[in-house]
Amino acid sequence: MMNIKASFFIHKQLTRVCTFSLASLFLLLFSVQPAFAQCPTGMVSLWSFEEETGASTFIDEIGSNDAQPLSSAPEQVEGRVGFAQFFSSGQGVMIPADQTITWSYNESFAIEYWMKMRNNGTTKNQVIVGLASSADSSQLWVGVDTDKNARFYVRDAGNVANGAKGTSLLNDNQWHHVVAVYDATNYPNSVLKLYVDGVEQDRQTINVQDRSLNFGGVTIYVASGLNGTTQFEYIGAVDEIAFYDAVPNAGTILEHYNNGLAGTGYCNGIV
């Protein structure tokens, strides 16, 4: 029996292609599983955000972390790959706490997405993916800072903050590809890396030997700050959010950017 991920993937393809021949549909039905087998190494969750306006669930096409809107759901808009979600003030998406997403101090991870924002007049940091521990001062977010550059910010349990900062202006109403990497390969000397549009724009080496990040089982928020409020909300469009439990290499990141320009996704060039 076909599982829910396969069923959703077929639905997504049918919404992106106007017509199918019978032979093409047959090939699509029987090529679903191999397609997802070729997602990048280490990718554990993927939200393509193809859902219609007012959706009650946003499917995690790889993992089991389906997301729900907050009190007000975002709006479906044309995306970088297929459709995307546009977040107005007060809108957001919540990814429920899950022990499989730990993002610990001694484990590598990465966050990838496409974003599109206007000069919306906001003077605060705008968090696109964010979370904060309820047990201590640990927090992590990726988004747009007050200079309208990409920002990857990490604060550990010892209340020590570190971050990587992009150089490109992002408030130009164009799609931009952002990847934030926490590389713990040489822990305790971990590295924060920030890529924008396929190019590494910053890296910072940090030492966390005597401190920790406590994110296991913490709710993750999209476009709604660190805790589902409007304090550091993001106003704009988001597409193709992916989480990794490994470090995607620079070549893969550049390939994803170029594929996105052609309207194809992260997994084996899937449209």
Side-chain angles (χ1 to χ4, degrees):
M1 181 177 293
M2 189 173 297
N3 61 38
I4 188 170
K5 306 299 180 185
S7 299
F8 180 80
F9 175 68
I10 293 171
H11 171 73
K12 179 173 69 173
Q13 305 309 301
L14 292 173
T15 61
R16 289 178 173 176
V17 180
C18 295
T19 60
F20 277 88
S21 67
L22 184 59
S24 297
L25 182 58
F26 180 85
L27 289 174
L28 175 63
L29 289 171
F30 288 95
S31 62
V32 171
Q33 297 299 343
F36 273 104
Q38 297 179 45
C39 287
T41 300
M43 183 182 286
V44 295
S45 287
L46 171 64
W47 298 268
S48 291
F49 278 171
E50 298 298 311
E51 289 80 3
E52 296 181 352
T53 299
S56 60
T57 302
F58 297 89
I59 299 294
D60 177 358
E61 299 174 36
I62 295 178
S64 58
N65 298 304
D66 293 350
Q68 290 80 43
L70 299 179
S71 57
S72 178
E75 175 189 359
Q76 184 193 68
V77 295
E78 183 178 352
R80 180 69 273 178
V81 181
F83 294 108
Q85 298 294 320
F86 184 88
F87 295 87
S88 299
S89 181
Q91 296 179 335
V93 168
M94 176 185 69
I95 302 169
D98 189 295
Q99 292 295 338
T100 63
I101 301 176
T102 57
W103 291 353
S104 182
Y105 62 98
N106 60 349
E107 299 172 347
S108 297
F109 60 86
I111 304 167
E112 179 175 26
Y113 57 82
W114 285 89
M115 58 158 291
K116 181 180 181 181
M117 66 175 290
R118 305 182 184 93
N119 188 2
N120 54 34
T122 300
T123 58
K124 297 180 179 180
N125 295 322
Q126 297 182 63
V127 175
I128 295 180
V129 176
L131 66 161
S133 172
S134 59
D136 53 43
S137 61
S138 298
Q139 63 175 239
L140 179 154
W141 63 268
V142 187
V144 182
D145 66 13
T146 56
D147 296 323
K148 304 303 184 286
N149 301 134
R151 181 73 167 169
F152 179 25
Y153 177 90
V154 176
R155 189 174 73 192
D156 63 30
N159 206 32
V160 176
N162 293 276
K165 178 180 174 65
T167 57
S168 301
L169 288 175
L170 302 179
N171 60 336
D172 57 0
N173 203 32
Q174 302 295 318
W175 283 105
H176 293 283
H177 181 242
V178 178
V179 184
V181 177
Y182 181 91
D183 186 349
T185 303
N186 295 315
Y187 168 80
N189 296 310
S190 299
V191 181
L192 306 180
K193 304 176 187 177
L194 188 60
Y195 294 80
V196 179
D197 294 338
V199 177
E200 183 183 310
Q201 294 194 343
D202 193 21
R203 67 165 58 199
Q204 299 290 330
T205 300
I206 63 176
N207 188 296
V208 291
Q209 185 171 17
D210 298 323
R211 301 181 302 276
S212 63
L213 304 174
N214 295 312
F215 296 134
V218 176
T219 300
I220 301 171
Y221 294 94
V222 176
S224 50
L226 299 169
N227 52 11
T229 69
T230 60
Q231 184 178 9
F232 296 108
E233 66 181 357
Y234 165 77
I235 299 175
V238 183
D239 199 5
E240 306 289 312
I241 296 180
F243 291 168
Y244 296 78
D245 65 0
V247 177
N249 62 52
T252 296
I253 292 170
L254 180 59
E255 180 182 18
H256 287 185
Y257 169 65
N258 288 328
N259 284 348
L261 295 181
T264 56
Y266 306 143
C267 296
N268 196 34
I270 291 172
V271 176

